[in-house]
Amino acid sequence: TIPDRTTGDVLLLVGERDAAHLRASREALVQLPSSATLYVVPDAGHTMEEEHARLRVAHLAEDWFAWTLDPQLFDRNAFVC
């Protein structure tokens, strides 16, 4: 399966109200490398069309990519919820 073949860092972002994908993401997380992170966006659905959700995802992705490229810039625990 894909999670078994994944060796790099992974950031999973899923809306709190997206029950099906939230369950699938939690199941996938245990099969991914220990560096994988799941962030549940509060009060967001599947498409994350809520403005607060889009902004949160943009900031999380920006920080995650910066951390992935230079881990000394950020505390990894900042991404764990």
Side-chain angles (χ1 to χ4, degrees), residues 10-30:
V10 176
L11 175 62
L12 300 169
L13 298 167
V14 63
E16 177 182 45
R17 292 185 282 114
D18 184 0
H21 289 101
L22 181 55
R23 183 174 43 260
S25 294
R26 286 183 172 145
E27 291 171 2
L29 185 63
V30 300

Side-chain angles (χ1 to χ4, degrees), residues 22-57:
L22 181 55
R23 183 174 43 260
S25 294
R26 286 183 172 145
E27 291 171 2
L29 185 63
V30 300
Q31 298 175 41
L32 291 167
S34 62
S35 62
T37 301
L38 169 63
Y39 185 85
V40 180
V41 180
D43 197 34
H46 173 68
T47 59
M48 295 196 201
E49 52 193 41
E50 305 83 0
E51 184 174 351
H52 76 276
R54 288 191 312 251
L55 291 172
R56 187 70 183 133
V57 166

